[in-house]
Amino acid sequence: GAVVSQHPSRVICKSGTSVKIECRSLDFQATTMFWYRQFPKKSLMLMATSNEGSKATYEQGVEKDKFLINHASLTLSTLTVTSAHPEDSSFYICSASSLLNTEAFFGQGTRLTVV
Amino acid sequence: AQTVTQSQPEMSVQEAETVTLSCTYDTSESDYYLFWYKQPPSRQMILVIRQEAYKQQNATENRFSVNFQKAAKSFSLKISDSQLGDAAMYFCAYRGDNQGGKLIFGQGTELSVKP
């Protein structure tokens, strides 16, 4: 299957600062990327969908000013958690798909801890 | 809106035995895809098996097979000859035909394998 690389795998940041998470498709062009949030022992909750070159579509209840998503190229999408608070601590996972695939490919995930 | 339901938060199986994980879904679409993903402690999402709704034949992948009942909107996963490495969270997921890779996940089932 195709490879999606997510970086960093773990990050600790101070409350009030911003942190950027990158999601790269290494061997295919990802027309669409998805960002999920997962709490321990819980399911993946879709936060937003991003299409290359256009604004992201956020799910209901997700603050677009808090979670900035950029999908500037067909191989890279970024999620920036702005003015992070301890309640933003979570596991964030990206996935990517192309027009040629019926399945989405997942990154390794990022564990964010805000102290 | 589509929904996916996994009614078994936890399941346990003896090594070498067979276990079935349940999944039901609700949709008004006629064309869609169903998936089972495995999430081990590393939290990397791994595709286990995929089923296209237009195919009547149940998908199989080595020790993993599904029982797809389209009319009943049921999509269970059977794991045969269970191995210790099968212990993980298992998520059932739905994707509409025109959703561009967007997945709707069930709540997950935590499978433990006893030696």
Side-chain angles (χ1 to χ4, degrees), chain A residues 1 6 16 28 30 32 34 38 46 65-66 70-71 77-78 85 87 89 91 99 110 113:
Chain A
Q6 188 173 339
F28 70 103
T32 308
F34 304 89
Q38 186 181 31
L46 179 66
D65 294 331
K66 157 71 81 174
N70 184 278
H71 192 165
S77 176
T78 60
H85 289 136
E87 56 265 32
S89 298
F91 191 69
L99 296 175
T110 298
T113 303

Side-chain angles (χ1 to χ4, degrees), chain B residues 50-101:
Chain B
R50 165 181 48 214
Q51 176 79 45
E52 291 88 346
Y54 64 85
K55 290 186 177 179
Q56 293 185 339
Q57 188 173 6
N58 289 325
T60 62
E61 287 288 343
N62 301 313
R63 297 183 295 108
F64 299 88
S65 62
V66 298
N67 183 2
F68 173 48
Q69 301 290 328
K70 190 172 184 180
K73 296 179 181 173
S74 171
F75 183 61
S76 61
L77 174 70
K78 185 172 80 171
I79 305 174
S80 304
D81 186 25
S82 296
Q83 301 175 359
L84 295 177
D86 294 334
M89 282 288 285
Y90 285 82
F91 293 100
C92 178
Y94 169 100
R95 201 210 89 176
D97 191 34
N98 297 313
Q99 293 296 313

